Amino acid sequence: MLSGRRLDLLDPSPFDIEIEDIAHGLARVARWNGQTIGEHAFSVAQHSCVVEEIAAHLKPGLEPGWRLAALLHDASEYVIGDMISPFKAALGVSYKSFEARLEDAIHVRFGLPPRTPQPIRTLIKAADKACAFFEATQLAGFTEKESLRFFGAPPADYHLTIDPLPAPAAQARYLERYRVLAEATGGLPGPDAWHTE
């Protein structure tokens, strides 16, 4: 990693994970494998910031820790890239367990429970699909009908116009959101402090 950390991908340690490496990597990973319109790719870093925002919109009063979980929902992609879902499925269980180990290490590093509780996972997935709807229709050439079929309807009272940022700006935005949320958690408490209600 640019931080100088050496990350063992087969046995990732939380001690080798740095937010700066995550932000740098995600700002340079393109959603839709770069098959989008515009001067800049829509990065996973920017996507993650939007998903965090949508999750908070869907559940007003969402704890900062769970907002942080939303921001970090694709953090493993800073080293393994953004694979489309059908390809992940084709790779099978071994890839999923590999990805899960990395996600667990990332969560532990930032004071989150290794496994996100199901209600929060469901909320983040809904926010992720809503973001994908806007990405598909605005950047990836999908019709609204196609996007509805693949991702479902976004929240009726949420509107988003996507303007893909250059990598350095996406990286800075991601780091800023992390710092705000980390500060709001009061030092990132251990797993026993998290509530899903």
Side-chain angles (χ1 to χ4, degrees):
M1 302 295 123
L2 285 177
S3 65
R5 297 284 187 186
R6 299 289 184 263
L7 182 65
D8 182 346
L9 292 179
L10 298 179
D11 187 22
S13 166
F15 297 110
D16 294 324
I17 296 167
E18 299 293 343
I19 194 64
E20 291 80 8
D21 291 330
I22 292 173
H24 182 88
L26 295 185
R28 288 154 179 81
V29 174
R31 294 273 296 167
W32 306 90
N33 291 326
Q35 297 299 308
T36 53
I37 62 169
E39 183 178 353
H40 303 288
F42 187 62
S43 71
V44 174
Q46 189 175 355
H47 161 83
S48 297
C49 291
V50 174
V51 169
E52 182 250 323
E53 180 184 290
I54 296 173
H57 176 82
L58 291 171
K59 188 169 176 61
L62 183 64
E63 290 183 28
W66 296 132
R67 291 185 71 157
L68 179 60
L71 183 72
L72 294 169
H73 81 281
D74 281 339
S76 63
E77 294 177 9
Y78 87 105
V79 287
I80 59 176
D82 182 17
M83 286 194 211
I84 58 173
S85 297
F87 191 52
K88 283 183 183 180
L91 290 174
V93 175
S94 59
Y95 175 83
K96 289 180 182 176
S97 67
F98 168 79
E99 185 179 39
R101 279 196 304 275
L102 185 52
E103 288 173 352
D104 291 353
I106 290 167
H107 279 205
V108 169
R109 168 63 180 87
F110 298 110
L112 296 166
R115 296 294 168 106
T116 304
Q118 191 57 51
I120 302 299
R121 288 176 68 86
T122 300
L123 173 67
I124 293 171
K125 188 64 180 173
D128 194 30
K129 289 176 91 170
C131 189
F133 173 91
F134 291 113
E135 293 170 30
T137 53
Q138 294 179 34
L139 303 175
F142 283 52
T143 65
E144 186 167 321
K145 184 177 179 182
E146 289 171 324
S147 291
L148 286 170
R149 183 161 44 101
F150 288 113
F151 308 111
D157 58 346
Y158 185 85
H159 304 284
L160 174 66
T161 300
I162 299 176
D163 182 19
L165 298 171
Q171 180 176 341
R173 181 176 289 181
Y174 190 91
L175 282 172
E176 177 59 24
R177 285 308 301 152
Y178 167 77
R179 289 184 183 114
V180 167
L181 294 170
E183 185 176 326
T185 63
L188 298 175
D192 292 342
W194 298 99
H195 308 286
T196 57
E197 311 243 3

